[in-house]
Amino acid sequence: MKKLIIGTFLVLMGNIVQAQDCPNLIGPVDGATNIPVDTSITWENIPGVTGYVISLGTAPNGTDIVNQRAVGSVTTYDPPLGLPENTEIFVTITLFFLNLPDITCPSQSFTTGDVTTPPLCTTIRSPLDGTTNVNSASNISWNYAPTATGYRVSMGTSPNGTDVANNVDVGNTLTYNPPADLPASTLLYITITPYNENGAANLCTETTFTTGAAATLPNCTSLITPADGAINVPLTPFLEWNPVPGATGYRLSIGTSPFDQDILENAVFDTNSTFVIDFEPNRTFFVTITPFNAAGEAIGCTQETFSTILGCGPYFDAVTGELVFLNPEIDFPDEVGICLNNGGTTFTSTDVAEGYRWYKIETGGSETLISTSSEVELSELGEYRYEAFNTAAQSGNTVECPTSKNFNVVVSEAPRISTVLVTEQVSGLRLETIVQGVGSYEFALDDINGPYQDSNIFTNVPAGSYTVYVRDKGGCGTDEERVEQDLTLEGFPKFFTPNGDGVNDFWQYIPPVATGEINVSTITIYDRYGKLLAQISPSSRGWDGMVNGRLLPASDYWFKAISLENREIKGNFSLKR
């Protein structure tokens, strides 16, 4: 499975989601070739995913073949019109969640093969052969004929007749909407002929159906209450929708996801309202209402939603289109230290919330409340629980929405800097602070007010002198150390001035004064991007700041030297003009 990282962590309803798997294609597999155009697309099942949405296109993330088709929880999809031949097809799977943002996975692809024969005939899906009393406003639909790229429709009032539709080319679609209502109370004969670039299907079977008396399908309706997208809906709501002229009844389906009808499934009502008992709190519900009459059902009625909230969410915000939580977000460390020999230590929450509670977790798991403000004074080691909460007035009640986390209190003391180790590297200085003491410490450079970091190592620091600050996170104290950077590193000057005045015009290794012995073999010089500029011998005059007769600008440059003991020495220096 592919891993799609969606954050270091997301805290949602007390659950921590660290990463989400994306499914691999099972058939055809990613990169497959010569795939039939009528293939089914299958992918791995991912536990915890509410449903899948699939897109197919001729480019990565493309939707020109299939655009964001929701398929529910199944992991197989049959493209309704097949696929184009000799084409690389990109498959994009989107993971649908009710309580998390959707996740669009990286596209995978396969390539279809060549089609060399005409398609076979298709079968009529609606109206079925021999059906009677068919609504005269009905459309004609049929099943996909593998390899077909288009269809022709003939329909008449006699066998092989074409007086209603004369070999109409409807293109690559599976429905035909006659430009006018079909003749009422009439036996009709229909033939669907698939075709592709290799020719048309041969001798397709004619089917028949009989229309009923003239009638009109009802239109769709919409919710009055709760309105589409409504929130804070009571748990026993009164559902009402707009009445539709000519409708004799309504089919009502309600589900807890766009793919389910687990509350009501096509329940029939002869009025435009009903009570629904005991909805779940904190859920979004998906509603479809389809009016019908003797002519049939309304066509293309859309799904609507509303959300209940007797609790803390998530609920759907129709304005932003996002899920909203009433629980506060909290940010408190897993561990804090209290100062030795200093009584209690006060900690203050910076989280935005209506109320706060702090608990001491006793042996055996019981809890003792020790503070109800944003501040708490801690003087004992052990495990604690911090809780922040908001409140909401709902249906005459006040609901509390808390967020909490456990943390540990440990011993802490003022830090004591033993030393600061300074290492020169090509990218600058590396400062490592060695600290003594028991505590949770943080580190800053050159400013006692920070910013502070948890790491005791600073890298890529420009050459110079610095003050390192170390402080205890629990407020037990601060220590500092001044770092004075030497002008040379093992005999390598920190700068030179090649201006032709005869002073310091060359950059070169300087042997130790005590011995006068040259203890390096080769020296190479680079610019800040690692490009090799020069290689000099330690016994030469040195580098004059030029490359191929061209003066290089004043800047910082880097060197690497190899000692006679085969030790690598790295550092940097400045060219000044």
Side-chain angles (χ1 to χ4, degrees), residues 267-500:
V268 176
F269 295 88
D270 57 9
T271 63
N272 64 315
S273 63
T274 183
F275 274 103
V276 180
I277 306 298
D278 291 339
F279 274 120
E280 277 189 77
N282 312 326
R283 294 295 296 266
T284 296
F285 293 89
F286 299 80
V287 182
T288 303
I289 305 171
T290 306
F292 65 88
N293 60 19
E297 295 182 347
I299 297 174
C301 296
T302 59
Q303 196 172 65
E304 300 176 278
T305 67
F306 64 83
S307 298
T308 57
I309 178 170
L310 186 64
C312 304
Y315 65 87
F316 181 75
D317 188 324
V319 176
T320 65
E322 298 178 347
L323 293 174
V324 177
F325 297 82
L326 298 184
N327 308 70
E329 294 184 6
I330 65 174
D331 182 17
F332 197 79
D334 296 327
E335 185 177 277
V336 297
I338 58 175
C339 306
L340 286 175
N341 306 318
N342 196 28
T345 302
T346 299
F347 296 88
T348 302
S349 168
T350 59
D351 300 324
V352 178
E354 294 180 23
Y356 308 86
R357 298 188 188 97
W358 306 82
Y359 297 90
K360 175 73 169 70
I361 301 178
E362 310 292 352
T363 302
S366 62
E367 295 183 337
T368 301
L369 180 66
I370 57 176
S371 175
T372 57
S373 74
S374 61
E375 292 187 348
V376 64
E377 183 176 304
L378 302 176
S379 58
E380 297 181 33
L381 308 185
E383 186 178 5
Y384 292 77
R385 183 168 70 87
Y386 157 61
E387 179 180 87
F389 63 88
N390 292 325
T391 60
Q394 300 164 8
S395 302
N397 300 308
T398 299
V399 177
E400 188 176 286
C401 302
T403 305
S404 68
K405 72 170 297 180
N406 289 13
F407 66 95
N408 289 310
V409 173
V410 298
V411 171
S412 192
E413 62 180 335
R416 301 183 304 281
I417 298 177
S418 297
T419 186
V420 179
L421 302 177
V422 181
T423 306
E424 292 216 21
Q425 299 176 328
V426 172
S427 57
L429 300 179
R430 179 184 186 274
L431 309 180
E432 181 178 0
T433 306
I434 307 301
V435 182
Q436 291 182 340
V438 178
S440 180
Y441 301 135
E442 54 188 1
F443 303 81
L445 198 60
D446 256 7
D447 190 342
I448 195 171
N449 297 314
Y452 281 83
Q453 65 180 39
D454 289 336
S455 174
N456 68 327
I457 297 175
F458 295 91
T459 58
N460 303 326
V461 179
S465 299
Y466 298 92
T467 300
V468 177
Y469 295 93
V470 184
R471 73 180 181 188
D472 176 66
K473 291 182 179 180
C476 298
T478 302
D479 196 11
E480 63 183 72
E481 177 85 5
R482 184 68 178 171
V483 179
E484 299 290 346
Q485 178 63 7
D486 292 336
L487 294 178
T488 62
L489 174 68
E490 300 192 49
F492 293 95
K494 295 299 296 180
F495 69 93
F496 75 122
T497 56
N499 53 15

Side-chain angles (χ1 to χ4, degrees), residues 43-282:
W43 56 92
E44 295 175 311
N45 180 57
I46 303 300
V49 174
T50 305
Y52 302 92
V53 178
I54 187 171
S55 291
L56 303 177
T58 54
N61 301 310
T63 59
D64 48 309
I65 298 176
V66 172
N67 184 11
Q68 292 285 305
R69 184 69 56 83
V71 298
S73 59
V74 300
T75 57
T76 297
Y77 178 68
D78 291 306
L81 299 175
L83 299 168
E85 63 179 336
N86 296 322
T87 302
E88 185 175 10
I89 307 297
F90 291 86
V91 182
T92 306
I93 304 293
T94 297
L95 309 182
F96 175 87
F97 299 91
L98 288 176
N99 59 348
L100 287 171
D102 294 349
I103 298 173
T104 299
C105 295
S107 296
Q108 302 170 70
S109 71
F110 59 86
T111 303
T112 56
D114 188 26
V115 175
T116 59
T117 59
L120 299 176
C121 292
T122 184
T123 54
I124 302 291
R125 190 167 65 246
S126 178
L128 294 175
D129 189 23
T131 304
T132 59
N133 201 32
V134 175
N135 186 274
S136 58
S138 297
N139 295 338
I140 312 301
S141 63
W142 53 91
N143 295 307
Y144 167 62
T147 76
T149 57
Y151 302 84
R152 295 186 179 94
V153 178
S154 291
M155 183 163 43
T157 56
S158 62
N160 300 313
T162 59
D163 51 312
V164 178
N166 185 9
N167 205 31
V168 177
D169 189 341
V170 297
N172 195 19
T173 182
L174 301 179
T175 60
Y176 172 58
N177 183 12
D181 285 353
L182 300 173
S185 304
T186 302
L187 177 63
L188 294 173
Y189 299 80
I190 183 168
T191 302
I192 309 297
T193 304
Y195 66 85
N196 62 25
E197 62 179 1
N198 302 295
N202 189 31
L203 300 176
C204 292
T205 301
E206 186 176 61
T207 62
T208 65
F209 63 90
T210 303
T211 56
T216 302
L217 289 174
N219 294 321
C220 291
T221 185
S222 58
L223 282 169
I224 298 174
T225 178
D228 185 25
I231 61 174
N232 300 320
V233 175
L235 299 187
T236 303
F238 178 69
L239 267 61
E240 183 180 12
W241 52 93
N242 289 299
V244 176
T248 58
Y250 304 88
R251 300 190 189 278
L252 177 63
S253 294
I254 305 176
T256 54
S257 85
F259 318 114
D260 297 318
Q261 298 174 348
D262 48 335
I263 306 299
L264 285 177
E265 183 175 0
N266 281 327
V268 176
F269 295 88
D270 57 9
T271 63
N272 64 315
S273 63
T274 183
F275 274 103
V276 180
I277 306 298
D278 291 339
F279 274 120
E280 277 189 77
N282 312 326

